[in-house]
Amino acid sequence: MKNKLILRPFFLVALCLFVGSGVYAQGMLREMPLERQVNNASLVIEGKVVAKKAVWNAEKNRIMTVNTVEVYKVFKGKTNLQIEVITPGGTVGDISQTVTPSLSLREGEIGVFTLYDNNNVLSFKADSNLKKYKPFSSLQGFYKYDLLNNSAVNPFVRKKNISGGLYNQITKITGKPYRELASFNVEVKVANLQNKRAMAPSISGFSPAMVSAGSEDPLTIAGSGFGATKGAVEFKNADDGGDTYIMALDSQILSWSDDKIVVKVPSRAGTGSIRVTDNNGASVVSSGDELLVSYALTNNVHSGIAVLIQHMGVNGTGITWRMNTAFDANTMAKEAFLRAFNTWRCETGINWNIGSTTSINTGGMDNNNVVLFDNNDPLDEGVLGECRTTTGSCGDTRDVVAELDLVFNSNIDDPDTGAQESWYFGTGLPAFEQYDFESVALHELGHGHQLGHVINTNDVMHYAISNSETQRFLSGNNETAAGIIQNYSTTTQMCGQTLMTDYSGSGCSLRVQEEVFVNELRVYPNPVSDILYIENSTSIPLENAVLYDLSGRTVLNIDMSNAPRVKSVNLSHISKGVYLLNIISNNTVVGKRIVLD
C-alpha cells in the first residue's frame, strides 16, 4: 500500500528550501572580502565538522542544522574545544528544508570559519552546553580545505598555501598570532596526501562527454589502478563555480573495478574535471577534455539515497504565491518580479499563480508562499536573494514540494566601501553599481522550480551574478531541465497528492520563433518502433535534440547542427516505453512525448 504524505498545517512552508539529509543548493551572492569577514566576526577558528543533527527552531517554522565543530586553532575570540555552528535547512522526520544560499557542511570537512553569535532560538532538542554560532556572510563564512592541493576555498576565492598564506592573512588582519587548542598540522597532512600521488590510479577517459546532474545519469570512467575496493568519485562543485569538488554518494557508485567505475552524476556536479580517490587515499584528476554538465536537477538525500523532487497541486492545480504588501507597493520591483515569474511559467508550463497580498513579513512555515523584502527577516550579508523550499517525503521514489518563499535583500551596500548600492528594476542595462532584480528573481525562481546550479556564467542558474550584469532569459538547457520536472509533476502522482496541471493563464503569447517551432517542426511516426524522423520545415537552425526517459535520465543525444531538413534517428536499440524528446534551437525548446513500441 502506498504511503500517503500528511503535511501538518504548520509544516506547509513558504520556503524555497528543498533538502534531504544533505542540503543542496546556493543562490546569488556578492563577494565579502576576508578582511570584512574577520573584522565583523566574533570568532574565527580552524576546525573540523565531527557531527550533525537537524532540529526545529522554537517556533517550529524553520529547520536548522546543528553542526558540531572540533576547534584546532583560534584566530579571533575565545572558545572551548568544541562549538556548534548553526546553518539553515535540514530534515526532521518526513519534512525537509533548504535555504538557498546557505552553508551546507558535511562531517569530516575541515577549514576556517568566520562566525558570529547565533540568534536563532532552537527547540529543546538542540540543548547542549556548547556555544552556538552562525557563519558570517552565509556560505562565504567557511573556507573549506582542499588538502590535496594545499588550498582553502569559499565560493569566490581560493587561498593557496594554507599555513603560509591564509594563516598569515588572518593574523595580519587581527594583529595577533593564533592559539592552538588541538594538534592539526596542515603541512604534514598536505605532504602525506601529495606523497601518495605516485601510487595514484590513472584515468584514461569517460563517457558520455555530456551529462546532466541529479537526474540519475550514469557516467562510465575508464582507467587503471582503481583497485577492487570502492573509493570515492568527485565532481567540480557547481555551487562555487568549480573551485572545490563534491563527492558522489556511496549509493551513487553503481560499480567499481580496477579499470572501470560507473557512477550516477550527483546533483551539485558541474562542468570540469573528475577526481577519483582509491581506497588507500591516493587521488587522480582527469586531464584533457572536461565533463560537460548541461543542467542540474535538485535532489533530497534520505539515508544516503538521493531522490528527485517534483511539484504537486498545492492549491488543487498548482501553487499560489502572495506578495507582501510592502513588496507589492514597490511597483517597479513588482513588475520586474512578474517578468521573471512569467518567463518561468510561460516557457516551462509550471502552474504558478499570484494571489492576494499579505501582511506576512517573514519567510516561515505558515501555509503561504510569500514574496518579500528582508526588512523583518534579514538576510545574511552578501546575499542578494534567497529561495526557501519545504518538501515532504513518504517513502515514494520522489519527494514533493509543499511550499516556497522568496526573500530579497532590501539594503545593498558595497562590501569594501559601505557605499549604498541599489537594485535595478527596469528592462534596460543596469548602471555599474546596480544589481539587476529581474535576473536575481529569475535565478531564485529557478531554484523554486527545482533546478540546481551549473558552471556557466552565461546561464541564469550560475551561482553568482555581478553588478551591472543581466541574465533574463532561459537557455534551452534550463527549459529542458524544467520540462523534466514539469513532466513528473503533471503525470506521476506522488505521496497521494494532487497532480499539478500545466499553466494555462493569460499573458503567455508565444514568441514568433516558438510559434514557428510549434507549427512547423514535426516528429513522426509516433508511436515509433525503430526509425524516428525529425522534420524541420523552418529556416531556423537546430542545435541538438535530447531523448530522456521518464526518470529524467539522458537516453540519447542527437546532433542537429548540420542536419538535413528531415533527420532520421535509429531508436531500435532503445527499450520500449514513453520518452521525452527536447529539440533545441538557440533559447527555444520544443518538447515532444515519444512512445516506443
Side-chain angles (χ1 to χ4, degrees):
M1 178 178 174
K2 178 185 285 188
N3 295 320
K4 185 172 182 178
L5 171 67
I6 299 175
L7 297 174
R8 295 176 288 275
F10 66 89
F11 282 153
L12 294 176
V13 179
L15 296 154
C16 249
L17 285 129
F18 67 82
V19 189
S21 300
V23 179
Y24 299 160
Q26 313 307 332
M28 288 207 160
L29 304 166
R30 294 179 303 138
E31 182 178 352
M32 290 293 113
L34 176 63
E35 183 175 6
R36 186 178 179 93
Q37 293 179 54
V38 172
N39 286 336
N40 284 275
S42 58
L43 182 69
V44 180
I45 58 103
E46 175 189 70
K48 176 181 179 179
V49 181
V50 295
K52 292 170 57 110
K53 66 177 178 180
V55 298
W56 288 103
N57 65 356
E59 294 80 16
K60 285 194 173 181
N61 63 1
R62 298 285 292 270
I63 295 176
M64 314 297 290
T65 294
V66 180
N67 304 274
T68 303
V69 175
E70 180 181 346
V71 180
Y72 295 150
K73 296 178 181 65
V74 182
F75 294 90
K76 180 181 180 181
K78 296 181 179 180
T79 184
N80 294 322
L81 286 171
Q82 286 193 338
I83 61 172
E84 290 177 340
V85 177
I86 311 302
T87 55
T91 296
V92 177
D94 56 4
I95 304 298
S96 299
Q97 295 183 348
T98 300
V99 177
T100 60
S102 64
L103 177 60
S104 173
L105 297 168
R106 296 183 65 167
E107 287 187 34
E109 289 184 332
I110 303 171
V112 167
F113 294 82
T114 59
L115 305 166
Y116 64 102
D117 292 354
N118 172 63
N119 58 0
N120 291 299
V121 181
L122 305 179
S123 73
F124 70 92
K125 292 184 178 180
D127 286 346
S128 73
N129 294 323
L130 299 179
K131 184 70 182 292
K132 294 175 174 57
Y133 295 90
K134 290 175 62 178
F136 181 80
S137 64
S138 185
L139 69 164
Q140 296 185 66
F142 178 54
Y143 289 80
K144 177 183 174 182
Y145 287 178
D146 181 351
L147 294 173
L148 182 65
N149 293 306
N150 192 12
S151 62
V153 181
N154 81 2
F156 288 99
V157 296
R158 174 180 290 272
K159 303 287 186 180
K160 297 182 179 180
N161 189 353
I162 297 170
S163 61
L166 180 60
Y167 289 179
N168 291 341
Q169 290 178 45
I170 297 174
T171 54
K172 183 177 180 180
I173 295 169
T174 63
K176 299 178 180 179
Y178 62 77
R179 292 180 292 114
E180 192 162 1
L181 298 190
S183 177
F184 180 78
N185 190 316
V186 167
E187 294 178 349
V188 171
K189 298 290 185 182
V190 169
N192 287 341
L193 287 173
Q194 292 182 346
N195 286 338
K196 293 181 179 181
R197 288 182 185 270
M199 302 177 290
S202 173
I203 297 174
S204 59
F206 51 80
S207 64
M210 183 173 71
V211 295
S212 55
S215 63
E216 301 189 336
D217 266 5
L219 179 76
T220 299
I221 304 169
S224 61
F226 298 142
T229 305
K230 185 186 296 185
V233 182
E234 296 172 282
F235 298 84
K236 285 293 188 177
N237 186 353
D239 288 344
D240 60 19
D243 278 339
T244 62
Y245 285 90
I246 62 104
M247 189 180 298
L249 298 170
D250 186 69
S251 61
Q252 290 174 321
I253 300 177
L254 304 180
S255 65
W256 184 292
S257 66
D258 190 61
D259 61 357
K260 187 172 73 172
I261 301 167
V262 181
V263 58
K264 291 181 181 178
V265 181
S267 177
R268 294 164 64 191
T271 293
S273 57
I274 302 164
R275 186 160 72 184
V276 173
T277 302
D278 67 20
N279 192 51
N280 295 315
S283 299
V284 63
V285 175
S286 63
S287 59
D289 293 337
E290 294 185 332
L291 176 69
L292 176 63
V293 180
S294 55
Y295 63 82
L297 307 181
T298 55
N299 290 170
N300 282 347
V301 179
H302 300 300
S303 301
I305 306 296
V307 299
L308 287 159
I309 306 165
Q310 69 173 68
H311 299 283
M312 61 182 179
V314 176
N315 64 10
T317 59
I319 297 174
T320 299
W321 296 76
R322 302 180 68 190
M323 295 185 186
N324 169 265
T325 49
F327 185 92
D328 182 76
N330 187 328
T331 303
M332 295 185 68
K334 176 181 177 180
E335 290 177 351
F337 174 78
L338 288 176
R339 289 194 298 271
F341 192 79
N342 282 332
T343 295
W344 279 109
R345 66 179 181 176
C346 292
E347 297 197 25
T348 71
I350 190 167
N351 199 345
W352 285 345
N353 294 277
I354 300 293
S356 61
T357 58
T358 177
S359 61
I360 296 170
N361 56 18
T362 60
M365 300 177 72
D366 55 9
N367 297 326
N368 289 281
N369 308 296
V370 183
V371 184
L372 67 156
F373 282 115
D374 71 337
N375 298 304
N376 292 284
D377 190 356
L379 298 178
D380 287 338
E381 188 168 358
V383 178
L384 296 174
E386 191 170 273
C387 177
R388 308 171 181 174
T389 305
T390 293
T391 62
S393 171
C394 62
D396 274 326
T397 56
R398 284 189 289 278
D399 286 358
V400 293
V401 174
E403 285 197 35
L404 304 170
D405 268 350
L406 288 178
V407 184
F408 296 99
N409 196 320
S410 61
N411 185 29
I412 306 171
D413 62 7
D414 186 278
D416 293 312
T417 67
Q420 180 72 38
E421 296 183 313
S422 63
W423 285 114
Y424 176 74
F425 297 114
T427 58
L429 293 176
F432 179 77
E433 72 279 2
Q434 293 179 315
Y435 288 87
D436 188 57
F437 191 84
E438 182 180 347
S439 298
V440 174
L442 194 69
H443 175 96
E444 297 303 338
L445 284 166
H447 284 311
H449 207 317
Q450 299 311 301
L451 272 64
H453 287 141
V454 295
I455 300 177
N456 182 350
T457 55
N458 295 317
D459 194 296
V460 72
M461 294 314 298
H462 189 66
Y463 79 103
I465 190 171
S466 300
N467 50 320
S468 74
E469 181 184 359
T470 63
Q471 290 288 355
R472 300 174 186 157
F473 301 98
L474 303 185
S475 68
N477 288 329
N478 299 148
E479 295 186 11
T480 295
I484 292 170
I485 298 297
Q486 187 65 3
N487 181 65
Y488 295 149
S489 307
T490 57
T491 62
T492 310
Q493 189 179 49
M494 287 289 156
C495 302
Q497 301 299 312
T498 305
L499 288 174
M500 176 177 278
T501 62
D502 288 326
Y503 178 71
S504 59
S506 59
C508 288
S509 57
L510 290 174
R511 295 176 296 184
V512 172
Q513 189 179 45
E514 290 172 335
E515 290 178 345
V516 171
F517 262 130
V518 170
N519 294 329
E520 299 188 42
L521 193 65
R522 297 179 59 217
V523 176
Y524 59 89
N526 195 11
V528 59
S529 57
D530 48 17
I531 304 299
L532 181 73
Y533 297 96
I534 303 173
E535 182 176 351
N536 180 16
S537 298
T538 76
S539 59
I540 301 168
L542 304 181
E543 295 178 3
N544 65 302
V546 187
L547 188 70
Y548 302 92
D549 65 17
L550 292 184
S551 295
R553 290 172 294 200
T554 301
V555 176
L556 187 64
N557 279 293
I558 307 161
D559 183 8
M560 300 291 294
S561 57
N562 295 304
R565 187 175 68 86
V566 180
K567 169 82 170 181
S568 62
V569 182
N570 189 345
L571 303 180
S572 60
H573 61 291
I574 296 174
S575 302
K576 295 180 180 179
V578 180
Y579 296 85
L580 176 67
L581 179 70
N582 281 347
I583 306 168
I584 302 166
S585 174
N586 296 323
N587 289 327
T588 303
V589 177
V590 172
K592 305 282 188 180
R593 284 192 178 92
I594 305 297
V595 178
L596 268 67
D597 63 4

